[in-house]
Amino acid sequence: MTVGDRPVSAPGAGDRDDAPKSASFVLAEAAEAEALAAEAEARAAAARARAERLRRQAEAASSDRPDGRDTATPHADDTGPDAPAADTGPPRHRRLRHPGIKVTAVCAGLVLICASLAASGYMVWRDHAASQQKHRIAEYAAAARRDVAALMSLDFNKTKEDLQRIEDNSTGRFKSTFPAFADQLSKRLQQSKMVTTVTVNDVAVESMTDDSAIVLVAATTQATGPDGQLQPQPWHIALGLRRDGGQPKMSSIEFVQ
């Protein structure tokens, strides 16, 4: 009689001690086989669970990316001899997307708008500067006409008022030196009994800043004395103007031949 591959003798007097040993050995082998089967089944169940978890991660990652590529990374528990090897190859170059037609059109529109605003701002600034310059030219020209009229229109009957008007319309060096010859001018008017009127023929602003200017004035005086009118006298004057209290006034006078 055989049990497995081992022969078993018929029960007898000499085999009484060997029979129990053979039965225990068979039971041990059966128990070991059962344990190995249970361990193999447990490993298979763990492998199936791990594969299922990786599949769910791959599906979740694919649903999150528009191109559907699997970007799932191995879980911390998936390390070991059975875990998939990490990708250590060279990095993939990403393609730079060219801007679309709409984006290009929007950018071009913004550039055109900015350029238009800059051009408009420059034109406004230029017009404002030109307007200010015209205003200053007109202001200095009017001041030159007024000051030449005050300087050369004299009446011996109103000497004091005429000289005070000249002083009020002057500033700077001319005003500081005017009192030195004002008395002499008053005496000559009283002696000659002269009345002088002036006609301003033309003015031209030669140069100017915000606070000063040089104005060329062409004028003609007509003098009348006890013996009647004298011949008209032409004058060419380079009149220096400087602001005093915000108003342009005479600061220098030069008679030009």
Side-chain angles (χ1 to χ4, degrees):
M1 180 177 180
T2 61
V3 177
D5 295 332
R6 299 175 181 272
V8 180
S9 302
D15 297 333
R16 289 180 181 177
D17 294 335
D18 294 338
K21 291 182 180 180
S22 299
S24 298
F25 183 77
V26 172
L27 291 176
E29 285 185 341
E32 184 179 1
E34 185 177 357
L36 291 176
E39 183 179 356
E41 186 178 356
R43 288 184 179 181
R48 286 194 300 270
R50 184 165 59 251
E52 181 65 20
R53 184 168 60 253
L54 291 175
R55 185 184 63 80
R56 288 197 299 268
Q57 291 178 356
E59 290 177 354
S62 299
S63 62
D64 291 339
R65 291 182 58 88
D67 53 1
R69 290 182 298 176
D70 185 7
T71 57
T73 56
H75 194 269
D77 295 337
D78 295 335
T79 59
D82 297 332
D87 185 7
T88 59
R92 298 178 181 177
H93 295 285
R94 296 181 178 179
R95 292 184 178 179
L96 296 177
R97 294 184 178 180
H98 295 285
I101 297 177
K102 291 184 178 180
V103 175
T104 304
V106 170
C107 293
L110 291 176
V111 171
L112 291 176
I113 291 174
C114 293
S116 177
L117 291 176
S120 300
Y122 172 74
M123 293 178 63
V124 170
W125 172 83
R126 187 179 63 180
D127 292 343
H128 179 68
S131 177
Q132 284 187 330
Q133 186 176 17
K134 290 180 180 179
H135 176 74
R136 287 195 298 268
I137 291 174
E139 185 181 19
Y140 285 132
R145 288 179 179 273
R146 178 202 65 205
D147 293 344
V148 169
L151 180 67
M152 307 186 77
S153 296
L154 302 173
D155 187 344
F156 74 97
N157 296 310
K158 302 183 294 182
T159 303
K160 186 176 181 180
E161 292 84 349
D162 291 344
L163 296 178
Q164 185 63 49
R165 185 175 65 251
I166 294 173
E167 185 176 1
D168 292 341
N169 290 334
S170 62
T171 188
R173 183 181 60 184
F174 180 77
K175 185 173 184 177
S176 63
T177 59
F178 180 72
F181 64 88
D183 292 340
Q184 296 180 5
L185 181 59
S186 177
K187 291 177 181 179
R188 291 185 62 180
L189 286 172
Q190 291 297 327
Q191 291 174 359
S192 64
K193 307 298 181 180
M194 299 292 293
V195 176
T196 305
T197 58
V198 63
T199 301
V200 178
N201 302 316
D202 197 10
V203 295
V205 178
E206 183 182 42
S207 62
M208 70 175 183
T209 65
D210 292 341
D211 299 323
S212 63
I214 300 296
V215 183
L216 304 179
V217 182
T220 303
T221 57
Q222 179 67 60
T224 303
D227 299 330
Q229 290 186 346
L230 302 179
Q231 290 292 328
Q233 178 69 43
W235 303 91
H236 294 88
I237 305 168
L239 186 67
L241 298 174
R242 185 174 296 278
R243 292 189 183 275
D244 185 357
Q247 180 181 358
K249 295 182 179 182
M250 293 182 290
S251 61
S252 65
I253 298 174
E254 181 181 355
F255 291 94
V256 182
Q257 297 295 333

